[in-house]
């Protein structure tokens, strides 16, 4: 009887350990980082203008000073081939003159706003005020862009402010060939602007994250000055597209309805969802109960002999 009790306890403990294993295996966030930097230490970005583009150790952020027609830059290499990705970062702008633009992009070696491949986020000044701009140039030089102005898309003009920290997220959906930008106010988490573009083709060939004035031949002595922080570039792991109906697509549309032009899409594709892994918990539990039953039967047969 003592042996029988020991076998039951041992079997139950083993089953509980096996049940815990799947939880530990699936504890990741389903993402693979291609680059991540909180700038708590010197990131050693390559720059041709160290007096304006440098790591500020007192703030734990990266300072930039972007001036048109200087072709200044600061960049870091990234290992990327192709496929979906998400790029996000924080930015605080202290000064953006009328002819100046802050830009952070994910590009090829050119780091030029007029040359692809280039996924570019811009904070610029226009006649509509200080606005956001999402700009795309594919590796085959196909251009698509949208500003947060009523003249650029079917929605109200949205402006950014000085000395506020914004969190920018750019997502590339390789299956649907769409590029989406979402801007939120860092402190409150309030969404400021959200829009998307068609890429028309699969993006590839980007190998660096950069800031700078490449391709900007505007008036000199105009500046975009501030800090960037918390940059992260990552790709999803084991992502599949869940089947959705038309009604689901309608409910996932952006806050503003795009104009029916050839440049911009008229529907927003559904967001990819992580496919959950099958949990072996039930199988393991049944197996454990089966073992206990078998042991009990063997014990009864032994007594009846």
């Amino acid at each position: 009887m003592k042996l029988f009790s020991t076998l039951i306890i041992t079997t139950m403990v083993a089953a509980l350990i096996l049940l815990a294993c799947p939880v530990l295996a699936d504890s990741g966030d389903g993402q693979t980082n291609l680059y991540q930097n909180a700038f708590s230490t010197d990131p050693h970005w390559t720059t041709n203008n160290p007096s304006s583009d440098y790591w500020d150790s007192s703030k734990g952020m990266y300072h930039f000073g972007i001036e048109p027609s200087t072709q200044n830059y600061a960049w870091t290499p990234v290992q990327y081939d192709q496929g979906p990705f998400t790029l996000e970062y924080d930015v605080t702008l202290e000064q953006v003159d009328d002819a100046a633009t802050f830009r952070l992009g994910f590009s090829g070696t050119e780091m030029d706003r007029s040359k692809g491949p280039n996924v570019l986020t811009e904070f610029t000044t226009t006649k509509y005020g200080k606005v956001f701009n999402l700009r795309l140039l594919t590796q085959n030089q196909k251009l698509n862009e949208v500003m947060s102005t009523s003249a650029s898309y079917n929605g109200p003009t949205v402006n950014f402010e000085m000395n506020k920290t914004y969190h920018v997220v750019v997502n590339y959906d390789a299956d649907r060939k769409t590029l989406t930008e979402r801007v939120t106010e860092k402190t409150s988490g309030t969404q400021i602007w959200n829009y998307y573009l068609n890429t028309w083709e699969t993006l590839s060939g980007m190998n660096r994250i950069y800031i700078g004035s490449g391709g900007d031949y505007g008036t000199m002595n105009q500046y975009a000055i501030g800090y960037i922080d918390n940059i992260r570039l990552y790709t999803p792991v084991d992502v599949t597209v869940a089947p959705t109906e038309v009604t689901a697509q309608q409910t996932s549309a952006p806050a503003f309805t795009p104009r029916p032009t050839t440049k911009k899409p008229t529907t927003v594709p559904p967001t990819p969802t992580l496919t959950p892994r099958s949990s072996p918990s039930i199988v393991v539990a049944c197996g454990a109960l089966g073992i206990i039953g078998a042991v009990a039967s063997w014990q009864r047969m032994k007594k009846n002999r």
Side-chain angles (χ1 to χ4, degrees), residues 271-289:
T271 304
T273 57
L274 293 177
T275 302
R277 300 182 184 178
S278 299
S279 174
S281 303
I282 297 176
V283 176
V284 174
C286 292
L289 291 174

Side-chain angles (χ1 to χ4, degrees), residues 34 42 56 79 135 145 184 193 241 268 282 294 300 302:
L34 302 181
D42 191 344
D56 188 325
Q79 293 296 322
R135 180 181 175 91
E145 67 179 334
T184 57
W193 190 62
V241 177
V268 175
I282 297 176
R300 285 195 299 270
K302 186 175 179 182

Side-chain angles (χ1 to χ4, degrees), residues 173-229:
D173 187 326
D175 292 332
R176 294 174 176 80
K177 294 183 174 58
T178 57
L179 190 70
T180 304
E181 179 177 5
R182 184 177 73 256
V183 182
T184 57
E185 201 275 314
K186 177 75 172 181
T187 303
S188 66
T190 302
Q191 180 171 289
I192 305 300
W193 190 62
N194 180 35
Y195 214 77
Y196 56 95
L197 300 171
N198 276 325
T199 67
W200 294 302
E201 59 187 62
T202 299
L203 300 183
S204 63
M206 290 87 77
N207 56 22
R208 58 187 64 185
I209 298 171
Y210 80 99
I211 54 177
S213 62
D216 182 348
Y217 300 99
T219 305
M220 296 182 68
N221 298 314
Q222 302 292 303
Y223 298 94
I225 298 173
Y227 292 87
I228 54 174
D229 199 9

Side-chain angles (χ1 to χ4, degrees), residues 19-286:
L19 287 169
C21 288
V23 177
L24 296 175
D26 291 338
S27 61
D29 61 1
Q31 298 164 347
T32 298
N33 283 334
L34 302 181
Y35 182 82
Q36 185 171 16
N37 204 317
F39 298 99
S40 56
T41 60
D42 191 344
H44 299 291
W45 280 29
T46 301
T47 180
N48 62 352
N49 189 16
S51 62
S52 294
D53 303 328
Y54 57 86
W55 175 59
D56 188 325
S57 59
S58 64
K59 291 182 178 292
M61 294 187 287
Y62 197 85
H63 181 274
F64 61 82
I66 300 174
E67 180 185 5
S69 295
T70 61
Q71 308 305 300
N72 70 299
Y73 56 72
W75 64 276
T76 187
V78 174
Q79 293 296 322
Y80 168 83
D81 182 20
Q82 62 180 13
F85 66 81
T86 301
L87 171 64
E88 58 182 270
Y89 66 93
D90 296 335
V91 60
T92 305
L93 294 153
E94 296 181 340
Q95 175 182 338
V96 180
D97 295 332
D98 287 346
T101 300
F102 162 76
R103 57 181 59 87
L104 184 146
F106 182 32
S107 80
T109 56
E110 297 284 354
M111 297 183 293
D112 188 312
R113 76 184 304 271
S114 63
K115 298 178 181 178
N118 205 339
V119 174
L120 197 59
T121 59
E122 297 182 327
F123 288 59
T124 190
T125 303
T126 69
K127 65 180 180 180
Y128 302 99
K130 300 185 184 303
V131 298
F132 308 100
N133 186 44
L134 175 62
R135 180 181 175 91
L136 167 69
L137 266 169
T138 71
Q139 57 271 24
N140 293 317
Q141 308 308 310
K142 291 182 179 179
L143 172 65
N144 200 358
E145 67 179 334
V146 60
M147 282 187 175
S148 63
T149 67
S150 56
S152 182
Y153 76 111
N154 192 20
T157 296
V158 180
N159 301 113
F160 64 87
E161 300 176 31
M162 296 295 98
N163 299 304
K164 272 194 175 182
T165 300
Y166 294 98
H167 184 67
V168 181
V169 179
V170 178
N171 178 263
Y172 168 52
D173 187 326
D175 292 332
R176 294 174 176 80
K177 294 183 174 58
T178 57
L179 190 70
T180 304
E181 179 177 5
R182 184 177 73 256
V183 182
T184 57
E185 201 275 314
K186 177 75 172 181
T187 303
S188 66
T190 302
Q191 180 171 289
I192 305 300
W193 190 62
N194 180 35
Y195 214 77
Y196 56 95
L197 300 171
N198 276 325
T199 67
W200 294 302
E201 59 187 62
T202 299
L203 300 183
S204 63
M206 290 87 77
N207 56 22
R208 58 187 64 185
I209 298 171
Y210 80 99
I211 54 177
S213 62
D216 182 348
Y217 300 99
T219 305
M220 296 182 68
N221 298 314
Q222 302 292 303
Y223 298 94
I225 298 173
Y227 292 87
I228 54 174
D229 199 9
N230 299 316
I231 294 180
R232 186 185 179 204
L233 175 69
Y234 54 93
T235 60
V237 177
D238 296 331
V239 170
T240 59
V241 177
T244 55
E245 298 178 357
V246 175
T247 54
Q249 293 179 350
Q250 292 173 346
T251 57
S252 62
F256 310 114
T257 304
R259 292 175 176 172
T261 66
T262 57
K263 284 190 65 177
K264 303 177 182 66
T266 57
T267 59
V268 175
T271 304
T273 57
L274 293 177
T275 302
R277 300 182 184 178
S278 299
S279 174
S281 303
I282 297 176
V283 176
V284 174
C286 292

